[in-house]
């Protein structure tokens, strides 16, 4: 699949009617070293400058602003000033109710007592001025393969909230960036009701087990495991419903069914937007129609943060877009390897969102399609090997099948279907097996009967 993604790099993926134009507000090396950026190479992201970037994105009309900068942990004077500034944008009408702010959250390591839930660090989104329906906590979590390449997403994360004054810690479901955006687009509400624990119809025993895990009391790990299994089942069912909500279809779609399973495909991210880096300018970005205005524009635009903080933002607006504020400089330690090469975590978020909005989850074709293609391949191989009775015929048949399968696989992949390239090899094996059985049968039926009186 990695090879197929490289062939589809910089190609608009899936049903573009559901996609958004993306803007990466990039804290690049030049910005990081600029004296205007906290004096140059600051230990942490300067909150006042981060406020400039958020204000720019909201004032420019972005529908969704993702802050891929950790604002958790110790909430000091700078964080309080940032919260007051954002609250002022709400009060003045600069930031309207239809614009959503997504704040990535960080989590403490799992505790030594074996508790299965992590604890969220305190975040600015929990402060009273930002306790708003259009402010969302999101989890930027992904899975690394054994070769250290990031290929899969985690759509949600179950964690314990941080205990605050007058409020005990409780368990909570934190959606990923891509899931939160999908939910906002399809359902159109600030909070997904299905993500509220009381709406998941979890058994009382499971709810008690998770609540106990967050209370700090000694917990039964076996009960926790069973509760998380039950919760995962409910979340998968909810996700299938959410995928179906935007299709206008009745009954479960193949993509919705795939979301239930553990087929190794449903968690794969389809990367289509590579990172240009500091030097490479050869990356071509596909163009899509603006979801509101109808004019064409690049699927991804990159805005260096230095332009914004120096008062020289680009001439285009961000209306209708998803803007991600993130870092690409080396010292940010947020550069990861993907099937399309190395890229910053902020671009991974954009690729993941583009993948999910474009066509939901990747899944295998229906059995009818799969076996239909297999039978067609067997017939094609039969025609070739019938004309050439040798191993050359088999090799030629395999080459012909691979060439024929490429455009089919390319098309299916572009709409979110993965046809395994092992299929033609299976077809060859099946054909040879059938041919051998047929030859053995003919040999048995045409064998000369032995004369029973020959020895008399």
């Amino acid at each position: 699949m990695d090879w197929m993604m490289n062939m589809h790099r910089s190609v608009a993926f899936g049903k573009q009617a559901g996609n958004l134009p993306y803007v990466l507000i990039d804290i690049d090396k030049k910005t990081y070293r600029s004296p205007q950026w906290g004096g140059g190479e600051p230990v942490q992201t300067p909150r006042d400058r981060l406020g400039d970037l958020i204000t720019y994105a909201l004032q420019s009309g972005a529908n969704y602003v993702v802050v891929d900068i950790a604002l958790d942990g110790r909430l000091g004077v700078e964080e309080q000033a940032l919260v007051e500034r954002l609250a002022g944008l709400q009060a003045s009408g600069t930031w309207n109710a239809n614009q959503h702010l997504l704040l990535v959250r960080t989590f403490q390591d799992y505790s030594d007592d074996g508790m299965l839930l992590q604890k969220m660090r305190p975040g600015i989104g929990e402060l009273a001025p930002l306790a708003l329906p259009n402010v969302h906590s999101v989890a930027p979590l992904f899975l690394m393969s054994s070769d250290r390449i990031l290929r899969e997403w985690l759509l949600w994360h179950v964690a314990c909230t941080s205990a605050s004054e007058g409020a005990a810690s409780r368990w909570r479901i934190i959606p990923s960036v891509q899931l939160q955006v999908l939910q906002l687009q399809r359902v159109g509400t600030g909070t997904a009701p299905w993500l509220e624990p009381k709406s998941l119809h979890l058994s009382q025993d499971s709810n008690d087990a998770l609540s106990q895990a967050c209370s700090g009391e000694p917990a039964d790990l076996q009960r926790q495991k069973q509760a998380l299994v039950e919760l995962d089942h409910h979340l998968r069912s909810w996700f299938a419903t959410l995928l179906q909500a935007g299709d206008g279809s009745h009954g479960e779609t193949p993509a919705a069914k795939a979301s239930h399973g553990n087929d190794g495909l449903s968690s794969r991210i389809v990367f289509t937007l590579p990172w240009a880096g500091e030097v490479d300018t050869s990356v071509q970005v596909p163009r899509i129609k603006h979801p509101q205005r109808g004019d064409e524009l690049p699927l991804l635009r990159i805005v260096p943060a230095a332009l914004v903080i120096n008062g020289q933002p680009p001439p285009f607006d961000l209306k209708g877009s998803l803007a991600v504020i993130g870092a690409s400089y080396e010292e940010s330690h947020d550069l990861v390897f993907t099937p399309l090469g190395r890229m910053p975590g902020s671009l991974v978020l954009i690729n993941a969102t583009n993948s999910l909005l474009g066509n939901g989850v990747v899944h295998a074709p229906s059995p009818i399609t799969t076996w239909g293609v297999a039978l067609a391949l067997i017939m094609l191989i039969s025609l070739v090997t019938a004309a050439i009775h040798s191993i050359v015929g088999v090799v030629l048949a395999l080459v012909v099948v691979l060439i024929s399968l490429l455009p089919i696989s390319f098309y299916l992949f572009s709409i979110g279907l993965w046809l395994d390239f092992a299929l033609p090899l299976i077809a060859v094996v099946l054909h040879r097996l059938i041919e051998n059985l047929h030859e053995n049968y003919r040999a048995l039926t045409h064998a000369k009967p032995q004369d029973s009186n020959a020895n008399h």
Side-chain angles (χ1 to χ4, degrees), residues 103-392:
L103 303 172
V104 301
R105 302 302 302 270
T106 60
F107 307 89
Q108 296 176 356
D109 290 335
Y110 289 97
S111 59
D112 296 332
D113 59 6
M115 191 178 78
L116 299 179
L117 298 183
Q118 291 178 293
K119 284 189 176 181
M120 297 169 58
R121 294 187 175 91
I124 67 169
E126 296 167 359
L127 299 178
L130 289 185
L132 302 167
N134 57 344
V135 178
H136 315 277
S137 293
V138 289
L141 301 179
F142 299 90
L143 293 175
M144 287 281 190
S145 302
S146 57
D147 57 0
R148 306 303 299 166
I149 293 178
L150 190 153
R151 293 186 175 92
E152 300 177 71
W153 57 35
L154 289 173
L155 287 176
W156 51 74
H157 189 59
V158 184
C160 299
T161 61
S162 55
S164 57
E165 226 175 284
S169 176
R170 60 184 179 86
W171 67 275
R172 181 180 171 187
I173 303 156
I174 312 298
S176 62
V177 171
Q178 61 271 23
L179 181 58
Q180 182 66 66
V181 173
L182 178 71
Q183 188 279 132
L184 289 169
Q185 281 209 313
R186 297 249 170 128
V187 183
T189 56
T191 303
W194 297 281
L195 289 182
E196 291 298 320
K198 62 184 179 182
S199 303
L200 284 169
H201 306 296
L202 204 61
S203 68
Q204 188 61 47
D205 186 66
S206 293
N207 185 65
D208 291 344
L210 295 176
S211 297
Q212 186 182 29
C214 293
S215 67
E217 301 173 6
D220 185 335
L221 293 184
Q222 189 59 36
R223 284 183 67 207
Q224 283 188 43
K225 289 178 182 177
Q226 292 173 351
L228 288 174
V229 169
E230 182 187 346
L231 178 59
D232 187 67
H233 173 75
H234 283 288
L235 287 170
R236 286 178 182 273
S237 297
W238 163 76
F239 181 51
T241 304
L242 181 63
L243 285 176
Q244 187 180 327
D247 292 334
S249 57
H250 301 283
E252 275 196 327
T253 61
K257 289 179 181 177
S259 68
H260 286 287
N262 233 350
D263 55 6
L265 293 177
S266 57
S267 61
R268 288 295 298 265
I269 305 169
V270 178
F271 287 89
T272 54
L273 296 168
W275 176 238
E278 298 287 341
V279 179
D280 186 5
T281 58
S282 62
V283 173
Q284 298 296 316
V285 177
R287 300 182 71 83
I288 61 168
K289 284 190 176 181
H290 194 283
Q292 297 169 357
R293 300 192 300 259
D295 57 320
E296 278 201 352
L297 74 165
L299 179 61
L300 171 66
R301 291 170 291 179
I302 297 177
V303 177
L307 294 181
V308 178
I309 65 174
N310 290 329
Q312 300 172 328
F316 54 80
D317 62 52
L318 310 187
K319 288 180 181 177
S321 67
L322 182 147
V324 179
I325 301 171
S328 66
Y329 59 91
E330 198 70 37
E331 293 86 345
S332 68
H333 304 293
D334 194 27
L335 294 166
V336 295
F337 287 97
T338 72
L340 298 189
R342 205 164 180 235
M343 66 175 64
S346 48
L347 188 53
V348 172
L349 295 178
I350 289 174
N351 270 288
T353 305
N354 187 53
S355 177
L356 185 58
L357 296 186
N359 246 332
V361 296
V362 177
H363 54 283
S366 67
I368 294 176
T369 302
T370 302
W371 286 106
V373 173
L375 289 174
L377 293 175
I378 292 172
M379 291 176 63
L380 181 58
I381 292 170
S382 298
L383 290 173
V384 176
T385 53
I388 306 174
H389 296 280
S390 67
I391 189 65
V392 175

Side-chain angles (χ1 to χ4, degrees), residues 48-128:
D48 56 344
R49 291 309 187 187
L50 182 59
D52 292 342
L53 301 182
I54 297 173
T55 301
Y56 159 71
L58 292 171
Q59 284 181 337
S60 296
N63 281 11
Y64 310 96
V65 179
V66 181
V67 182
D68 189 26
I69 302 292
L71 294 171
D72 295 349
R74 185 185 64 84
L75 302 179
V77 176
E78 291 185 356
E79 286 75 22
Q80 290 285 352
L82 176 60
V83 168
E84 291 173 10
R85 180 176 180 180
L86 295 177
L89 294 177
Q90 279 268 4
S92 66
T94 302
W95 174 13
N96 66 60
N98 295 320
Q99 293 178 291
H100 297 271
L101 182 64
L102 284 66
L103 303 172
V104 301
R105 302 302 302 270
T106 60
F107 307 89
Q108 296 176 356
D109 290 335
Y110 289 97
S111 59
D112 296 332
D113 59 6
M115 191 178 78
L116 299 179
L117 298 183
Q118 291 178 293
K119 284 189 176 181
M120 297 169 58
R121 294 187 175 91
I124 67 169
E126 296 167 359
L127 299 178

